[in-house]
Amino acid sequence: SAVISQKPSRDICQRGTSLTIQCQVDSQVTMMFWYRQQPGQSLTLIATANQGSEATYESGFVIDKFPISRPNLTFSTLTVSNMSPEDSSIYLCSVDGTSGSSAGELFFGEGSRLTVL
Amino acid sequence: RKEVEQDPGPFNVPEGATVAFNCTYSNSASQSFFWYRQDCRKEPKLLMSVYSSGNEDGRFTAQLNRASQYISLLIRDSKLSDSATYLCVVWGGQNFVFGPGTRLSVLP
């Protein structure tokens, strides 16, 4: 299994500002994912964070709005830029278990609950 | 059509009841299938993988019908602690796609 630490766990931000969310994994992983879960909704993949190259963004998400860093195999950041109230959501970091019984299983951080005023 | 569809519920059932959730997916090339559980204000956690031959884990039984592109989850002898949202998740070869989830409330 993988243990994932995310911070901040929650924040309240002003419109127009930016927030960076950090994700730390207790083991080296190839793929890290960033999801968004809006109130009452399921999870939507924002992007896959690739170590050593640019993140791969899903349709509807762009690098200017959600820049991602992946400096090594255990750490990634997601920035929510120029925030608006529509960005209020839970942002979840996730990794794919790659070995043994956890292969193919997604592990999640506890999420970062963002409220934009 | 959404890639993964589920009845959002809520399903309100008494303790001890048997309840079944269904899920359909649109990508016939999907390779792996899972049920995740998400408690209120918590992150999703794997409940069980779904295998072609069907699989059982205690009170939980999962089945896959590739021809109909349909997945099911059966919970027997429901407990209060089973109250949660159940997410159907499909791996299509490039990323995991989450269904909207089905909310279950088990009532005393």
Side-chain angles (χ1 to χ4, degrees), chain A residues 37 42 104-106 108-109 113, chain B residues 36 38 41 43-44 46 96 99:
Chain A
Q37 187 171 30
S42 189
E105 178 179 349
L106 270 185
F108 289 89
R113 184 180 296 271
Chain B
Y36 275 72
Q38 185 172 27
R41 294 181 172 267
E43 74 276 19
L46 180 67
F96 293 87

Side-chain angles (χ1 to χ4, degrees), chain A residues 15-35:
Chain A
R15 182 195 299 260
T17 62
S18 298
L19 177 74
T20 295
I21 302 167
Q22 299 181 6
C23 177
Q24 179 75 54
V25 190
D26 68 340
S27 58
Q28 293 187 339
V29 292
T30 304
M31 301 178 79
M32 294 179 76
F33 307 97
W34 286 99
Y35 285 87

Side-chain angles (χ1 to χ4, degrees), chain A residues 88-100:
Chain A
S88 297
S89 189
I90 299 172
Y91 292 85
L92 292 148
C93 172
S94 175
V95 303
D96 185 5
T98 56
S99 64

Side-chain angles (χ1 to χ4, degrees), chain A residues 67-88:
Chain A
I68 287 171
S69 79
R70 180 84 195 272
N72 56 52
L73 292 175
T74 63
F75 187 78
S76 178
T77 68
L78 169 75
T79 298
V80 186
S81 302
N82 187 25
M83 288 184 285
S84 67
E86 292 72 34
D87 294 320
S88 297

Side-chain angles (χ1 to χ4, degrees), chain A residues 6-13 19 111-115, chain B residues 41:
Chain A
Q6 251 185 270
K7 57 180 180 182
S9 58
R10 58 180 61 235
D11 208 340
I12 299 173
C13 302
L19 177 74
S112 300
R113 184 180 296 271
L114 173 62
T115 301
Chain B
R41 294 181 172 267

Side-chain angles (χ1 to χ4, degrees), chain B residues 12-71:
Chain B
N12 299 315
V13 303
E15 267 187 291
T18 295
V19 61
F21 304 140
N22 302 323
C23 169
T24 57
Y25 59 95
S26 60
N27 182 1
S28 59
S30 297
Q31 301 170 15
S32 304
F33 309 90
F34 310 88
W35 284 102
Y36 275 72
R37 170 191 170 132
Q38 185 172 27
D39 293 301
C40 187
R41 294 181 172 267
K42 296 285 189 179
E43 74 276 19
K45 293 185 179 178
L46 180 67
L47 176 66
M48 58 196 306
S49 302
V50 186
Y51 303 121
S52 298
S53 55
N55 48 300
E56 188 175 307
D57 183 1
R59 299 180 292 109
F60 299 86
T61 301
Q63 291 195 314
L64 168 65
N65 184 324
R66 284 190 185 271
S68 302
Q69 295 179 203
Y70 169 95
I71 306 157

